[in-house]
Amino acid sequence: MICVLSGGVGAARLLRALSEYDPALDLRAVVNVGDDLVMHGLQICPDLDTITYTLAGLNNEEQGWGLTGETWRVMQELGALGGDAWFGLGDRDLATHLYRTQRLHAGSNKTEVAAEIAHHFQLGVDLLPATNDPLATEFHTEVGILSFQEYFVRHHHDVVVTSIDFRGAAAARLTSQAAEALRDADRIVIAPSNPLISIGPILAIPGVREALRERRDDVIAVSPIIGGAALKGPADRLLRELGHDVSPVGVARYYRDLVGTMVIDEVDVELRASIEELGLECRVTTTIMKNPDHARHLAAVVMA
Ligand code: GDP
Ligand code: CA
């Protein structure tokens, strides 16, 4: 069994690559919930949904989020009413949030609902929210404290961040399903997700760092930074603003005590020695998964 610590897009692509590489693989994703929010009374779990839609083959590749063939009639009507329409929720996507919210009100938890949705979409991967408890990523910025989606969507992650807080993390409990996946996995993979805001919230849950540290040699991380930049999103900018190197070496240093092996892109091959000097093994391959051949290579290297 392989356990993948997961954010959104970068993780979804790696999970898809791994499941295509070996359809019989028992794959379990421990998924970030720090981006989750309640909007219009609906419980929205962006990273779980990104992974669900990507593995179902329904994700909008060009846009980078949401569903293909989506329509926006509800948002248009809401905007016309003067409602809060800055956080786009497509008509089809809304069904997921309605379903989840109803199930939570009926007494289920996020883990149970994620399993029901994964079953509906016939995903071959177990999607395990890291915790069922409240955990919210917050940004301290030049314009004040912002919730995740205020920072990401409303301000287009274009404000200076001075620190990041994972509200609720210290009291949050890792779910038993996530704990079991971390304990029993033959290998733990840290997806090429944003280290600070996709993987960081998972690592902030008590017990997770210890679980990884104990089996550091079985933990392998794929760098989301390629040639000094993120493929999308604010990972590069946030690393810089918070004092990290914007390179696979900066990522390796951030994961250093938790990870035995780093996978980096061919364009960064000259950084191999610096990563090895930190006491990590380093594997070099093509890591941009938009290209299906590269995705296959990356999966093979992660599984080797
Ligand atoms: P989000 O939650 O949807 O923002 O996504 P993640 O945190 O999972 O992923 C964002 C990160 O994924 C960015 O830093 C990207 O550089 C990285 N990423 C996306 N696609 C790829 C890919 O194909 N290869 C690698 N190595 N990184 C990727
Ligand atoms: Ca996310």
Side-chain angles (χ1 to χ4, degrees):
M1 184 260 292
I2 304 293
C3 173
V4 183
L5 299 195
S6 301
V9 173
R13 289 179 177 162
L14 182 68
L15 288 163
R16 183 176 59 193
L18 288 170
S19 61
E20 284 173 2
Y21 172 78
D22 180 359
L25 196 61
D26 180 356
L27 258 181
R28 302 188 199 169
V30 172
V31 183
N32 172 42
V33 295
D35 308 11
D36 292 9
L37 71 158
V38 175
M39 187 98 202
H40 318 299
L42 300 176
Q43 177 67 61
I44 301 166
C45 302
D47 286 351
L48 281 166
D49 292 342
T50 293
I51 296 173
T52 299
Y53 298 153
T54 302
L55 293 177
L58 297 172
N59 60 306
N60 186 326
E61 285 280 348
E62 298 77 57
Q63 189 173 253
W65 56 277
L67 286 152
T68 89
E70 186 60 284
T71 55
W72 302 92
R73 295 188 61 175
V74 174
M75 280 293 124
Q76 281 155 12
E77 294 292 335
L78 183 64
L81 279 169
D84 249 350
W86 59 271
F87 190 72
L89 296 167
D91 298 333
R92 207 172 167 197
D93 188 28
L94 273 164
T96 304
H97 313 314
L98 287 165
Y99 177 80
R100 175 181 292 118
T101 304
Q102 187 277 324
R103 296 291 297 135
L104 293 172
H105 278 155
S108 300
N109 61 37
K110 268 185 198 172
T111 300
E112 290 161 344
V113 181
E116 290 168 7
I117 294 173
H119 179 75
H120 166 77
F121 285 105
Q122 298 183 291
L123 308 186
V125 178
D126 285 353
L127 300 191
L128 309 173
T131 182
N132 292 319
D133 297 325
L135 192 173
T137 300
E138 268 182 2
F139 295 84
H140 295 242
T141 77
E142 56 183 342
V143 300
I145 298 177
L146 302 177
S147 72
F148 189 94
Q149 303 300 343
E150 283 169 342
Y151 167 74
F152 215 89
V153 179
R154 205 168 206 172
H155 289 276
H156 311 286
H157 46 74
D158 195 15
V159 288
V160 175
V161 173
T162 49
S163 66
I164 300 171
D165 201 21
F166 305 123
R167 259 215 355 239
R173 291 155 301 170
L174 189 66
T175 68
S176 58
Q177 295 86 346
E180 181 184 307
L182 286 176
R183 189 187 58 231
D184 296 348
D186 300 304
R187 184 165 303 178
I188 298 171
V189 184
I190 299 184
S193 290
N194 188 316
L196 299 172
I197 57 173
S198 291
I199 305 301
I202 302 175
L203 300 179
I205 298 170
V208 174
R209 284 183 168 277
E210 292 73 9
L212 297 182
R213 217 176 273 132
E214 255 169 41
R215 9 186 351 202
R216 182 177 179 270
D217 289 349
D218 302 324
V219 184
I220 180 165
V222 181
S223 176
I225 301 295
I226 299 174
L231 292 181
K232 76 174 267 290
D236 41 11
R237 178 174 174 161
L238 281 174
L239 284 167
R240 188 176 313 111
E241 284 175 355
L242 296 175
H244 303 275
D245 258 16
V246 187
S247 77
V249 182
V251 177
R253 212 173 274 130
Y254 179 78
Y255 289 141
R256 181 178 193 172
D257 58 329
L258 311 173
V259 166
T261 305
M262 275 297 297
V263 182
I264 68 171
D265 197 85
E266 279 176 356
V267 302
D268 292 313
V269 65
E270 80 281 4
L271 299 175
R272 181 204 290 264
S274 310
I275 289 172
E276 288 171 349
E277 270 167 34
L278 294 170
L280 280 80
E281 274 183 42
C282 185
R283 298 181 187 169
V284 182
T285 184
T286 50
T287 67
I288 300 182
M289 292 177 278
K290 231 180 185 162
N291 177 325
D293 284 337
H294 292 184
R296 220 175 355 260
H297 280 137
L298 177 58
V301 165
V302 166
M303 294 302 295

